[in-house]
């Protein structure tokens, strides 16, 4: 049945995301069994043809493949651990957010129980599930992924297998979120500076949009930057660390004058100071990576 377009699938967890996953399975014609702690969240799915299981054990027994989408790994284990031997041979795909360590520990747990296991990460909002733009990452045994790829691809057209490391999907997920929160925090800090001069946010926003598009996006989103880091070649024709260090000192000075917290920026100032002291002032900003990376040469 694995890989069959009509193979039965179970979904555990019917929050915003789990409901979207189960809905996509139903739309693709999979017999779908669902379980949720709050059972009435299944009502709409049941109307569309899903089967409501009365317990987690019944849900897992209903299909060879179970997708888990609850809030945390702790909840995943609260729900699945009591099943013990009954899980053996049932394929579990965990789409819960957590850390790469959570994923690898869950894979060890699954291996002990004889549960074929994949871990995944969803880089989409529920509205993108089942669309060509939906991006989901998977990690775990290649053979297992291949056997279930046709079902997993139902969730999004950008579904990507990253290799045997169970933690890789969450590494990618959290790296992308790190970029999101860095940019998001930078944006609210910028708006705080704007506010300190009595300027409405909406007056600044067109410039924020153009800056994002023409400066920030090429600055971090270009494929060449990945190659530069891999090759540790930080030559720049755009702006060097000397220039960025001065600019950052002005940002920090202006923020302090305006009473805006600068705690998030002071580590970067420290790294830029150190790089200049070490003679790297003419290199590009990407060299800061050398100060953050934990891996030894
Ligand atoms: N929503 C998104 O845009 C999005 C995007 C990417 C990844 N994700 C990930 O997808 C997972 C689910 O997110 P969501 O948006 O669906 O969250 P949600 O709407 O808050 O739903 C949480 C789900 O977890 C269940 N749950 C929580 N504690 C439980 C417990 N102690 N026992 C049993 N069930 C419990 C809830 O059951 P009840 O309904 O009974 O409360 C519900 O099914 C999370 O790991 C999230 O990070 C979400």
């Amino acid at each position: 049945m694995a890989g069959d377009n009509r193979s039965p699938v179970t979904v555990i967890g019917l929050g915003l995301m789990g409901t979207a996953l189960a809905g996509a399975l139903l739309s693709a014609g999979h017999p779908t069994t669902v379980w949720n702690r709050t059972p009435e969240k299944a009502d709409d799915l049941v109307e569309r043809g899903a089967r409501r299981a009365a317990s987690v054990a019944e849900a897992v027994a209903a299909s060879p493949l179970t997708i888990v989408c609850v809030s945390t790994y702790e909840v995943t284990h609260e729900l699945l651990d009591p099943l013990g031997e009954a899980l053996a041979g049932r394929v579990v795909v965990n789409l819960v957010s957590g850390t790469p360590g959570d994923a690898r520990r869950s894979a060890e747990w699954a291996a002990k129980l004889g549960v074929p296991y994949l871990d995944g990460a969803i880089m989409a909002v529920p509205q993108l599930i089942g669309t060509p733009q939906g991006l989901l990452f998977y990690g775990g045994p290649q053979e297992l992924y291949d056997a279930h790829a046709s079902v997993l691809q139902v969730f999004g057209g950008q579904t990507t297998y990253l290799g045997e490391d169970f933690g890789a999907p969450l590494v990618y997920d959290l790296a992308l979120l790190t970029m999101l929160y860095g940019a998001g925090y930078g944006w609210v800090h910028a708006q705080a500076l704007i506010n300190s001069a009595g300027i409405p946010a909406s007056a600044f926003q067109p410039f924020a949009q153009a800056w994002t598009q023409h400066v920030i996006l090429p600055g971090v989103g270009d494929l060449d930057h990945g190659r530069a880091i891999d090759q540790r070649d930080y030559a720049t024709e755009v702006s060097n660390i000397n220039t960025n260090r001065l600019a950052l000192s002005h940002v920090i000075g202006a923020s302090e004058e305006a009473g805006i917290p600068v705690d998030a920026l002071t580590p970067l100032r420290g790294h830029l100071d150190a790089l200049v002291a070490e003679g790297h002032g003419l290199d590009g900003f990407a060299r800061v990576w050398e100060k953050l990376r934990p891996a030894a040469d």
Side-chain angles (χ1 to χ4, degrees):
M1 288 280 246
D4 180 336
N5 284 342
R6 300 280 170 149
S7 57
V9 183
T10 285
V11 177
I12 294 189
L14 298 176
L16 295 169
M17 186 52 82
T19 299
L21 298 173
L25 290 166
L26 286 171
S27 298
H30 289 275
T32 303
T33 298
V34 294
W35 180 89
N36 195 56
R37 177 180 62 176
T38 311
E40 52 271 28
K41 284 198 189 164
D43 289 353
D44 288 349
L45 292 164
V46 169
E47 242 174 64
R48 290 181 55 194
R51 181 172 160 250
R52 184 183 349 236
S55 66
V56 176
E58 188 186 311
V60 169
S63 314
L65 171 65
T66 291
I67 309 285
V68 182
C69 191
V70 290
S71 48
T72 63
Y73 277 78
E74 287 75 15
V75 172
T76 299
H77 287 288
E78 267 173 41
L79 298 175
L80 295 187
D81 288 9
L83 272 57
E85 297 294 309
L87 273 172
R90 299 274 144 189
V91 178
V92 171
V93 176
N94 197 7
L95 293 180
V96 169
S97 301
T99 68
D102 289 329
R104 292 175 189 131
R105 283 186 289 277
S106 288
E108 283 167 23
W109 160 87
K112 277 188 202 136
L113 282 176
V115 174
Y117 182 85
L118 291 169
D119 209 281
I122 305 171
M123 304 310 301
V125 293
Q127 291 69 18
L128 283 179
I129 296 300
T131 71
Q133 293 76 32
L135 169 63
L136 291 93
F137 293 126
Y138 290 96
Q142 169 100 55
E143 223 173 80
L144 187 61
Y145 176 79
D146 290 344
H148 297 280
S150 67
V151 179
L152 301 177
Q153 280 159 2
V154 162
F155 298 140
Q158 307 300 312
T159 295
T160 304
Y161 172 70
L162 293 172
E164 305 268 330
D165 179 2
F166 294 97
L170 285 167
V171 172
Y172 274 67
D173 174 334
L174 298 175
L176 291 170
L177 287 180
T178 301
M179 291 180 69
L180 179 70
Y181 294 129
Y185 193 77
W187 176 69
V188 291
H189 187 135
Q191 288 289 9
L193 270 173
I194 289 296
N195 181 259
S196 73
I199 303 165
S202 53
F204 172 65
Q205 200 56 17
F207 299 96
Q209 185 188 48
W211 182 255
T212 303
Q213 197 176 335
H214 301 306
V215 179
I216 296 181
L217 212 54
V220 296
D222 196 296
L223 292 181
D224 279 344
H225 297 327
R227 282 190 282 277
I229 285 188
D230 285 341
Q231 292 165 11
R232 301 173 75 177
D233 173 4
Y234 306 114
T236 181
E237 290 179 358
V238 181
S239 73
N240 60 37
I241 286 176
N242 287 328
T243 305
N244 282 291
R245 175 171 169 259
L246 284 173
L248 182 67
S249 74
H250 301 321
V251 170
I252 290 175
S255 301
E256 284 172 339
E257 282 173 10
I260 299 164
V262 295
D263 319 24
L265 294 175
T266 46
L268 177 57
R269 174 166 59 186
H271 296 316
L272 295 177
D273 286 348
L275 287 168
V276 169
E278 290 160 16
H280 299 301
L282 296 179
D283 280 348
F285 187 85
R287 187 176 267 280
V288 177
W289 171 76
E290 297 278 0
K291 295 291 179 196
L292 298 190
R293 70 193 183 94
D297 286 317

